[in-house]
Amino acid sequence: MDPTVYVRLRRRTVVPPLSLIRLADVARLVADRELERRLLALPVHRIRPEEGSLLVIDMLQIVRAIREAAPGVAIETYGEPHVLVEVAQGGVVKPRRIVLALAWLLLFFGSGMALINFHADVNMPLVQRRITRLLTGSPDWHPWLFQIPYSLGVGLGMLLFFNRLFRRRPTDEPNPLEVEMFMYQENVNHYVITDEYRKKHEQNRETPDD
């Protein structure tokens, strides 16, 4: 009976420039121990400078490499049909702190201006004075009685909405910002993979003419 190799590609991986991508960098295998060790060291692709910082390795490329290295094995594939490879110095994507700081400032002041404009549109000071008069029965009472709890409630509400209180989470549920970031990353990955397949298709069409 032919040995069976079970293959699952990673969704995304990071490698250094000009590196040799091996099967262990882009996939997980389940097979006989000796066969698995040999296949994980199998070279799959050599990074070239002209390929840029993102490239796609699909399952057919992996299957072809395994067939050439071990012709008699049966291959079972699971999961994603491709892996997105990001090329970064040192094989690690470093956080861009300046961009993060600028984005934080933009969001901070933008959300502040949105709150100010909302309060101006609905005439929030007048509303707060009316609520204070209803609660106290005195028109001369300053609306601080309502403004202070309201301001604290806005900040606390934002913390609870984003499911983060200081550095601890009330629950394991992801907050809306993390969900939006995940969806943004998924859309970027989908766009890059589609664009890479388009480029490969165009190259394959041009090859016979050469």
Side-chain angles (χ1 to χ4, degrees), residues 72-106:
V73 302
I75 302 174
E76 296 285 344
T77 61
Y78 298 91
E80 298 291 332
H82 37 242
V83 54
L84 183 61
V85 179
E86 182 173 357
V87 181
Q89 195 66 37
V92 178
V93 179
K94 298 181 180 179
R96 294 175 288 183
R97 301 185 185 277
I98 296 178
V99 176
L100 177 62
L102 292 176
W104 184 89
L105 289 173
L106 179 64

mmCIF file of all heavy atoms in Angstrom, residues 72-106:
data_model
loop_
_atom_site.group_PDB
_atom_site.id
_atom_site.type_symbol
_atom_site.label_atom_id
_atom_site.label_comp_id
_atom_site.label_asym_id
_atom_site.label_seq_id
_atom_site.Cartn_x
_atom_site.Cartn_y
_atom_site.Cartn_z
ATOM 1 N N GLY A 72 5.851 7.713 -5.316
ATOM 2 C CA GLY A 72 4.899 6.659 -4.989
ATOM 3 C C GLY A 72 3.895 7.002 -3.918
ATOM 4 O O GLY A 72 3.093 6.136 -3.546
ATOM 5 N N VAL A 73 3.887 8.233 -3.383
ATOM 6 C CA VAL A 73 3.005 8.554 -2.261
ATOM 7 C C VAL A 73 1.651 9.039 -2.761
ATOM 8 O O VAL A 73 1.522 9.574 -3.863
ATOM 9 C CB VAL A 73 3.645 9.621 -1.351
ATOM 10 C CG1 VAL A 73 4.987 9.168 -0.813
ATOM 11 C CG2 VAL A 73 3.776 10.955 -2.074
ATOM 12 N N ALA A 74 0.640 8.818 -1.933
ATOM 13 C CA ALA A 74 -0.686 9.375 -2.170
ATOM 14 C C ALA A 74 -0.808 10.671 -1.370
ATOM 15 O O ALA A 74 -0.433 10.721 -0.202
ATOM 16 C CB ALA A 74 -1.763 8.387 -1.752
ATOM 17 N N ILE A 75 -1.330 11.721 -1.991
ATOM 18 C CA ILE A 75 -1.366 13.045 -1.372
ATOM 19 C C ILE A 75 -2.815 13.427 -1.097
ATOM 20 O O ILE A 75 -3.668 13.392 -1.989
ATOM 21 C CB ILE A 75 -0.707 14.103 -2.277
ATOM 22 C CG1 ILE A 75 0.734 13.703 -2.578
ATOM 23 C CG2 ILE A 75 -0.752 15.473 -1.627
ATOM 24 C CD1 ILE A 75 1.417 14.617 -3.572
ATOM 25 N N GLU A 76 -3.102 13.771 0.134
ATOM 26 C CA GLU A 76 -4.414 14.272 0.534
ATOM 27 C C GLU A 76 -4.240 15.714 0.991
ATOM 28 O O GLU A 76 -3.432 16.003 1.874
ATOM 29 C CB GLU A 76 -4.995 13.429 1.665
ATOM 30 C CG GLU A 76 -5.275 11.991 1.312
ATOM 31 C CD GLU A 76 -6.511 11.850 0.441
ATOM 32 O OE1 GLU A 76 -7.302 12.816 0.376
ATOM 33 O OE2 GLU A 76 -6.690 10.775 -0.177
ATOM 34 N N THR A 77 -4.999 16.633 0.380
ATOM 35 C CA THR A 77 -4.857 18.055 0.692
ATOM 36 C C THR A 77 -6.070 18.543 1.480
ATOM 37 O O THR A 77 -7.202 18.099 1.257
ATOM 38 C CB THR A 77 -4.708 18.889 -0.585
ATOM 39 O OG1 THR A 77 -5.877 18.747 -1.396
ATOM 40 C CG2 THR A 77 -3.495 18.439 -1.371
ATOM 41 N N TYR A 78 -5.828 19.482 2.388
ATOM 42 C CA TYR A 78 -6.879 20.064 3.216
ATOM 43 C C TYR A 78 -6.642 21.569 3.338
ATOM 44 O O TYR A 78 -5.522 22.046 3.190
ATOM 45 C CB TYR A 78 -6.879 19.435 4.620
ATOM 46 C CG TYR A 78 -7.158 17.952 4.628
ATOM 47 C CD1 TYR A 78 -6.111 17.034 4.560
ATOM 48 C CD2 TYR A 78 -8.456 17.469 4.692
ATOM 49 C CE1 TYR A 78 -6.364 15.672 4.560
ATOM 50 C CE2 TYR A 78 -8.720 16.105 4.688
ATOM 51 C CZ TYR A 78 -7.663 15.210 4.626
ATOM 52 O OH TYR A 78 -7.920 13.864 4.618
ATOM 53 N N GLY A 79 -7.693 22.297 3.638
ATOM 54 C CA GLY A 79 -7.548 23.714 3.953
ATOM 55 C C GLY A 79 -7.381 24.585 2.726
ATOM 56 O O GLY A 79 -7.920 24.309 1.651
ATOM 57 N N GLU A 80 -6.589 25.649 2.902
ATOM 58 C CA GLU A 80 -6.423 26.661 1.869
ATOM 59 C C GLU A 80 -5.709 26.098 0.641
ATOM 60 O O GLU A 80 -4.787 25.294 0.771
ATOM 61 C CB GLU A 80 -5.609 27.833 2.423
ATOM 62 C CG GLU A 80 -6.266 28.559 3.597
ATOM 63 C CD GLU A 80 -7.491 29.325 3.162
ATOM 64 O OE1 GLU A 80 -7.546 29.745 1.990
ATOM 65 O OE2 GLU A 80 -8.395 29.509 3.993
ATOM 66 N N PRO A 81 -6.106 26.542 -0.569
ATOM 67 C CA PRO A 81 -5.427 26.080 -1.782
ATOM 68 C C PRO A 81 -4.165 26.878 -2.114
ATOM 69 O O PRO A 81 -3.513 26.606 -3.116
ATOM 70 C CB PRO A 81 -6.485 26.285 -2.870
ATOM 71 C CG PRO A 81 -7.283 27.444 -2.376
ATOM 72 C CD PRO A 81 -7.302 27.331 -0.879
ATOM 73 N N HIS A 82 -3.835 27.871 -1.290
ATOM 74 C CA HIS A 82 -2.647 28.679 -1.544
ATOM 75 C C HIS A 82 -2.169 29.299 -0.235
ATOM 76 O O HIS A 82 -2.923 29.394 0.741
ATOM 77 C CB HIS A 82 -2.940 29.787 -2.570
ATOM 78 C CG HIS A 82 -4.308 30.373 -2.424
ATOM 79 N ND1 HIS A 82 -5.257 30.312 -3.407
ATOM 80 C CD2 HIS A 82 -4.901 31.005 -1.387
ATOM 81 C CE1 HIS A 82 -6.374 30.875 -3.000
ATOM 82 N NE2 HIS A 82 -6.178 31.313 -1.770
ATOM 83 N N VAL A 83 -0.926 29.732 -0.237
ATOM 84 C CA VAL A 83 -0.345 30.402 0.925
ATOM 85 C C VAL A 83 0.252 31.717 0.440
ATOM 86 O O VAL A 83 0.896 31.780 -0.606
ATOM 87 C CB VAL A 83 0.721 29.520 1.613
ATOM 88 C CG1 VAL A 83 1.791 29.069 0.639
ATOM 89 C CG2 VAL A 83 1.356 30.257 2.788
ATOM 90 N N LEU A 84 0.011 32.779 1.205
ATOM 91 C CA LEU A 84 0.551 34.094 0.885
ATOM 92 C C LEU A 84 1.885 34.251 1.605
ATOM 93 O O LEU A 84 1.959 34.145 2.832
ATOM 94 C CB LEU A 84 -0.419 35.189 1.329
ATOM 95 C CG LEU A 84 -0.023 36.629 0.999
ATOM 96 C CD1 LEU A 84 0.098 36.814 -0.505
ATOM 97 C CD2 LEU A 84 -1.043 37.599 1.572
ATOM 98 N N VAL A 85 2.936 34.496 0.842
ATOM 99 C CA VAL A 85 4.294 34.623 1.380
ATOM 100 C C VAL A 85 4.678 36.097 1.377
ATOM 101 O O VAL A 85 4.633 36.758 0.334
ATOM 102 C CB VAL A 85 5.306 33.808 0.558
ATOM 103 C CG1 VAL A 85 6.707 33.969 1.125
ATOM 104 C CG2 VAL A 85 4.903 32.345 0.528
ATOM 105 N N GLU A 86 5.044 36.602 2.539
ATOM 106 C CA GLU A 86 5.484 37.990 2.663
ATOM 107 C C GLU A 86 6.993 38.004 2.889
ATOM 108 O O GLU A 86 7.501 37.283 3.751
ATOM 109 C CB GLU A 86 4.768 38.683 3.818
ATOM 110 C CG GLU A 86 5.138 40.147 3.969
ATOM 111 C CD GLU A 86 4.296 40.856 5.005
ATOM 112 O OE1 GLU A 86 3.380 40.209 5.578
ATOM 113 O OE2 GLU A 86 4.527 42.054 5.248
ATOM 114 N N VAL A 87 7.681 38.814 2.119
ATOM 115 C CA VAL A 87 9.134 38.922 2.221
ATOM 116 C C VAL A 87 9.464 40.129 3.083
ATOM 117 O O VAL A 87 9.078 41.261 2.774
ATOM 118 C CB VAL A 87 9.775 39.074 0.822
ATOM 119 C CG1 VAL A 87 11.289 39.153 0.942
ATOM 120 C CG2 VAL A 87 9.361 37.914 -0.076
ATOM 121 N N ALA A 88 10.165 39.885 4.188
ATOM 122 C CA ALA A 88 10.527 40.960 5.114
ATOM 123 C C ALA A 88 11.934 40.716 5.633
ATOM 124 O O ALA A 88 12.371 39.567 5.767
ATOM 125 C CB ALA A 88 9.539 41.040 6.279
ATOM 126 N N GLN A 89 12.630 41.778 5.925
ATOM 127 C CA GLN A 89 14.002 41.675 6.420
ATOM 128 C C GLN A 89 14.047 40.915 7.734
ATOM 129 O O GLN A 89 13.320 41.235 8.670
ATOM 130 C CB GLN A 89 14.592 43.087 6.607
ATOM 131 C CG GLN A 89 16.104 43.113 6.779
ATOM 132 C CD GLN A 89 16.835 42.654 5.515
ATOM 133 O OE1 GLN A 89 16.396 42.947 4.400
ATOM 134 N NE2 GLN A 89 17.927 41.953 5.675
ATOM 135 N N GLY A 90 14.889 39.905 7.796
ATOM 136 C CA GLY A 90 14.994 39.100 9.001
ATOM 137 C C GLY A 90 13.877 38.089 9.171
ATOM 138 O O GLY A 90 13.847 37.369 10.167
ATOM 139 N N GLY A 91 12.938 38.037 8.227
ATOM 140 C CA GLY A 91 11.827 37.105 8.338
ATOM 141 C C GLY A 91 10.805 37.490 9.379
ATOM 142 O O GLY A 91 9.994 36.668 9.800
ATOM 143 N N VAL A 92 10.811 38.767 9.789
ATOM 144 C CA VAL A 92 9.881 39.250 10.808
ATOM 145 C C VAL A 92 9.301 40.576 10.344
ATOM 146 O O VAL A 92 10.041 41.468 9.914
ATOM 147 C CB VAL A 92 10.573 39.432 12.175
ATOM 148 C CG1 VAL A 92 9.587 39.992 13.200
ATOM 149 C CG2 VAL A 92 11.163 38.118 12.659
ATOM 150 N N VAL A 93 7.979 40.705 10.409
ATOM 151 C CA VAL A 93 7.325 41.962 10.060
ATOM 152 C C VAL A 93 7.371 42.867 11.289
ATOM 153 O O VAL A 93 6.728 42.598 12.297
ATOM 154 C CB VAL A 93 5.870 41.732 9.613
ATOM 155 C CG1 VAL A 93 5.196 43.060 9.285
ATOM 156 C CG2 VAL A 93 5.830 40.800 8.415
ATOM 157 N N LYS A 94 8.136 43.936 11.216
ATOM 158 C CA LYS A 94 8.278 44.844 12.346
ATOM 159 C C LYS A 94 7.125 45.836 12.387
ATOM 160 O O LYS A 94 6.675 46.321 11.341
ATOM 161 C CB LYS A 94 9.612 45.598 12.242
ATOM 162 C CG LYS A 94 10.830 44.694 12.302
ATOM 163 C CD LYS A 94 12.111 45.503 12.219
ATOM 164 C CE LYS A 94 13.333 44.589 12.292
ATOM 165 N NZ LYS A 94 14.592 45.362 12.186
ATOM 166 N N PRO A 95 6.631 46.145 13.587
ATOM 167 C CA PRO A 95 5.540 47.127 13.673
ATOM 168 C C PRO A 95 6.018 48.519 13.270
ATOM 169 O O PRO A 95 7.104 48.944 13.636
ATOM 170 C CB PRO A 95 5.153 47.087 15.158
ATOM 171 C CG PRO A 95 6.362 46.567 15.861
ATOM 172 C CD PRO A 95 7.029 45.622 14.908
ATOM 173 N N ARG A 96 5.195 49.197 12.490
ATOM 174 C CA ARG A 96 5.517 50.553 12.050
ATOM 175 C C ARG A 96 4.951 51.529 13.082
ATOM 176 O O ARG A 96 3.799 51.934 13.014
ATOM 177 C CB ARG A 96 4.947 50.792 10.660
ATOM 178 C CG ARG A 96 5.610 49.925 9.583
ATOM 179 C CD ARG A 96 4.942 50.102 8.241
ATOM 180 N NE ARG A 96 3.627 49.481 8.226
ATOM 181 C CZ ARG A 96 2.841 49.428 7.153
ATOM 182 N NH1 ARG A 96 3.254 49.956 6.011
ATOM 183 N NH2 ARG A 96 1.669 48.854 7.205
ATOM 184 N N ARG A 97 5.802 51.891 14.034
ATOM 185 C CA ARG A 97 5.344 52.682 15.176
ATOM 186 C C ARG A 97 4.925 54.092 14.772
ATOM 187 O O ARG A 97 3.981 54.644 15.337
ATOM 188 C CB ARG A 97 6.440 52.736 16.234
ATOM 189 C CG ARG A 97 6.849 51.351 16.744
ATOM 190 C CD ARG A 97 7.862 51.430 17.875
ATOM 191 N NE ARG A 97 8.312 50.093 18.260
ATOM 192 C CZ ARG A 97 7.651 49.300 19.101
ATOM 193 N NH1 ARG A 97 6.509 49.716 19.623
ATOM 194 N NH2 ARG A 97 8.125 48.107 19.422
ATOM 195 N N ILE A 98 5.605 54.678 13.806
ATOM 196 C CA ILE A 98 5.245 56.040 13.385
ATOM 197 C C ILE A 98 3.867 56.031 12.731
ATOM 198 O O ILE A 98 3.013 56.893 13.016
ATOM 199 C CB ILE A 98 6.311 56.600 12.426
ATOM 200 C CG1 ILE A 98 7.659 56.739 13.153
ATOM 201 C CG2 ILE A 98 5.872 57.945 11.857
ATOM 202 C CD1 ILE A 98 8.773 57.247 12.265
ATOM 203 N N VAL A 99 3.625 55.044 11.862
ATOM 204 C CA VAL A 99 2.321 54.938 11.220
ATOM 205 C C VAL A 99 1.236 54.673 12.255
ATOM 206 O O VAL A 99 0.130 55.233 12.189
ATOM 207 C CB VAL A 99 2.340 53.824 10.156
ATOM 208 C CG1 VAL A 99 0.958 53.639 9.542
ATOM 209 C CG2 VAL A 99 3.362 54.152 9.073
ATOM 210 N N LEU A 100 1.551 53.820 13.253
ATOM 211 C CA LEU A 100 0.591 53.536 14.312
ATOM 212 C C LEU A 100 0.261 54.794 15.109
ATOM 213 O O LEU A 100 -0.909 55.061 15.422
ATOM 214 C CB LEU A 100 1.146 52.452 15.237
ATOM 215 C CG LEU A 100 0.290 52.095 16.456
ATOM 216 C CD1 LEU A 100 -1.056 51.535 16.016
ATOM 217 C CD2 LEU A 100 1.019 51.097 17.349
ATOM 218 N N ALA A 101 1.293 55.594 15.439
ATOM 219 C CA ALA A 101 1.057 56.822 16.190
ATOM 220 C C ALA A 101 0.225 57.817 15.392
ATOM 221 O O ALA A 101 -0.702 58.449 15.928
ATOM 222 C CB ALA A 101 2.395 57.445 16.590
ATOM 223 N N LEU A 102 0.520 57.953 14.094
ATOM 224 C CA LEU A 102 -0.252 58.869 13.261
ATOM 225 C C LEU A 102 -1.697 58.402 13.124
ATOM 226 O O LEU A 102 -2.633 59.228 13.175
ATOM 227 C CB LEU A 102 0.399 58.993 11.884
ATOM 228 C CG LEU A 102 1.761 59.699 11.845
ATOM 229 C CD1 LEU A 102 2.344 59.654 10.429
ATOM 230 C CD2 LEU A 102 1.647 61.142 12.328
ATOM 231 N N ALA A 103 -1.897 57.096 12.955
ATOM 232 C CA ALA A 103 -3.261 56.573 12.851
ATOM 233 C C ALA A 103 -4.017 56.773 14.165
ATOM 234 O O ALA A 103 -5.210 57.122 14.159
ATOM 235 C CB ALA A 103 -3.225 55.093 12.473
ATOM 236 N N TRP A 104 -3.325 56.577 15.296
ATOM 237 C CA TRP A 104 -3.969 56.771 16.607
ATOM 238 C C TRP A 104 -4.379 58.222 16.787
ATOM 239 O O TRP A 104 -5.501 58.506 17.240
ATOM 240 C CB TRP A 104 -3.002 56.344 17.710
ATOM 241 C CG TRP A 104 -3.608 56.411 19.078
ATOM 242 C CD1 TRP A 104 -4.301 55.436 19.719
ATOM 243 C CD2 TRP A 104 -3.577 57.538 19.971
ATOM 244 N NE1 TRP A 104 -4.700 55.880 20.955
ATOM 245 C CE2 TRP A 104 -4.275 57.152 21.132
ATOM 246 C CE3 TRP A 104 -3.017 58.814 19.887
ATOM 247 C CZ2 TRP A 104 -4.439 58.019 22.210
ATOM 248 C CZ3 TRP A 104 -3.190 59.678 20.967
ATOM 249 C CH2 TRP A 104 -3.890 59.284 22.115
ATOM 250 N N LEU A 105 -3.508 59.157 16.419
ATOM 251 C CA LEU A 105 -3.845 60.576 16.550
ATOM 252 C C LEU A 105 -5.012 60.944 15.629
ATOM 253 O O LEU A 105 -5.908 61.709 16.020
ATOM 254 C CB LEU A 105 -2.618 61.437 16.217
ATOM 255 C CG LEU A 105 -1.481 61.410 17.241
ATOM 256 C CD1 LEU A 105 -0.274 62.173 16.708
ATOM 257 C CD2 LEU A 105 -1.939 61.990 18.571
ATOM 258 N N LEU A 106 -4.986 60.417 14.415
ATOM 259 C CA LEU A 106 -6.071 60.707 13.479
ATOM 260 C C LEU A 106 -7.406 60.199 14.010
ATOM 261 O O LEU A 106 -8.420 60.914 13.966
ATOM 262 C CB LEU A 106 -5.751 60.069 12.125
ATOM 263 C CG LEU A 106 -6.802 60.252 11.028
ATOM 264 C CD1 LEU A 106 -6.946 61.720 10.671
ATOM 265 C CD2 LEU A 106 -6.431 59.449 9.789
#
